[in-house]
Amino acid sequence: MRIVLSDGSTIGGGDLISAIYRTDLVPVPVSLEMVVKATDELKGLLGIGDKLIVGDGISLTIVKSQHINMQAVKAGKRVGGLIIIAVLSGCEPLLSVASRATSLNDTSFNEVYRVLGAKIRLKSDIKLNQFICLKGQLPTKRIAISLQKEAAVTMYSDGEISVTRINDLFKGESLIYDRSALQWIDNPHVLSHGNTNFLSVDDNGSDILGSPLNNKQVGYYPRADARELQNLRRILVTKAKMVRQLDDRLNAGSVVTVDDGYGQDSLVVLTAAHRYDTGALGGRPIMATQAWLAQLEGEK
């Protein structure tokens, strides 16, 4: 895995111990977790706020840098390490609680990200009736709630972030895998607990909007109209996971078609983690990809 530091140098295979590059369908869609040897050079280049370039020019900003003592001993000295966590550059302000209240009407996700301090521009956008993030609340959580009300997700693709409706995820080109490559998850309780049917109160203060369904949780959502209540029923539920040798085609938002010769199922990658273990401290090098695949549940 090629990781370029802020001075233009790269982290050598002898200094990189492990790295996990992850993409998710969440407000901050790209992250990197890695462990490196705590050399004098790397200590000065891997501080909070420092930039990294990963892969095909993906810029990440370090948000955590922690020194650790490891069990390995070299030349009679215990080897020190650095645990680094970095996120997509421009998104790091979203990880801190809001320092002031934000209330927007007739807005968009582009404006929401900008007002909350993120220095990014979305490739595609969706309009919002209202967005509220109070002082002390976590911006990513408030953005996730707004995404759910629009039945949408945030994804990173081709070097840009976009907001995409869940239904549109399944319209892209798909990767075909045999059913035997997946480990299927069958847990009906996850669906019944995760798929909540929300109710709200109409503007007249007396009529109830929405209707509860059998075997589903019921919750209350203030100031939601019928369209938003309908969108809240559409969720992505994890149905399978897949572990393969490094497969960089699998990223959050990728569509996977599972074919067993009798029929096909379409799933979308909810989370993809690409793992690199160099074996710098002993053991075999590992390059593998684990993906969690989800299916759309609720009314289409």
Side-chain angles (χ1 to χ4, degrees), residues 114-297:
R114 181 183 58 80
V115 171
L116 292 174
K119 297 177 177 61
I120 60 169
R121 183 165 183 82
L122 303 179
K123 178 182 177 181
S124 62
D125 201 1
I126 291 176
K127 296 295 183 181
L128 276 172
N129 290 334
Q130 185 182 60
F131 177 82
I132 295 176
C133 180
L134 301 179
K135 181 179 179 180
Q137 291 185 323
L138 192 61
T140 51
K141 183 175 181 179
R142 300 303 304 172
I143 294 173
I145 291 173
S146 293
L147 286 166
Q148 188 178 3
K149 288 170 66 176
E150 295 298 326
V153 294
T154 307
M155 63 179 289
Y156 184 82
S157 177
D158 298 327
E160 295 180 289
I161 298 180
S162 59
V163 174
T164 306
R165 296 196 185 276
I166 294 176
N167 288 345
D168 293 336
L169 287 175
F170 294 87
K171 297 177 182 178
E173 295 184 8
S174 63
L175 306 170
I176 299 177
Y177 293 91
D178 187 84
R179 188 173 293 270
S180 61
L182 279 66
Q183 303 169 26
W184 294 90
I185 301 170
D186 185 13
N187 188 346
H189 296 294
V190 172
L191 180 58
S192 62
H193 292 168
N195 192 357
T196 301
N197 286 282
F198 289 97
L199 306 178
S200 191
V201 178
D202 203 351
D203 293 338
N204 59 25
S206 59
D207 292 341
I208 302 298
L209 297 177
S211 58
L213 299 179
N214 293 334
N215 303 319
K216 300 291 178 65
Q217 288 192 108
V218 177
Y220 171 71
Y221 210 103
R223 295 184 298 277
D225 58 28
R227 182 188 64 84
E228 291 171 335
L229 292 174
Q230 190 78 2
N231 286 337
L232 287 166
R233 293 182 177 180
R234 299 173 188 162
I235 62 172
L236 291 170
V237 177
T238 303
K239 289 293 185 179
K241 68 177 182 178
M242 180 166 48
V243 180
R244 300 175 55 80
Q245 289 186 342
L246 187 65
D247 189 344
D248 57 11
R249 299 177 303 165
L250 288 170
N251 287 294
S254 300
V255 180
V256 171
T257 297
V258 182
D259 193 347
D260 60 2
Y262 298 97
Q264 294 182 338
D265 290 320
S266 290
L267 304 171
V268 67
V269 177
L270 194 62
T271 299
H274 305 292
R275 177 181 174 183
Y276 306 79
D277 286 354
T278 64
L281 297 181
R284 296 177 55 189
I286 296 174
M287 290 195 297
T289 295
Q290 180 161 336
W292 287 261
L293 308 175
Q295 192 174 60
L296 176 61
E297 297 288 345

Side-chain angles (χ1 to χ4, degrees), residues 81-127:
L82 291 173
I83 296 177
I84 304 297
I85 297 178
V87 300
L88 192 65
S89 292
C91 292
E92 58 274 16
L94 302 178
L95 304 181
S96 301
V97 296
S99 59
R100 59 186 178 88
T102 297
S103 178
L104 302 171
N105 293 312
D106 295 325
T107 183
S108 66
F109 283 100
N110 245 322
E111 186 177 2
V112 166
Y113 271 76
R114 181 183 58 80
V115 171
L116 292 174
K119 297 177 177 61
I120 60 169
R121 183 165 183 82
L122 303 179
K123 178 182 177 181
S124 62
D125 201 1
I126 291 176
K127 296 295 183 181

Side-chain angles (χ1 to χ4, degrees), residues 22-41:
R22 185 190 305 268
T23 56
D24 295 275
L25 298 180
V26 295
V28 181
V30 181
S31 65
L32 174 71
E33 304 170 30
M34 66 177 180
V35 180
V36 301
K37 292 181 181 178
T39 65
D40 292 336
E41 294 80 6

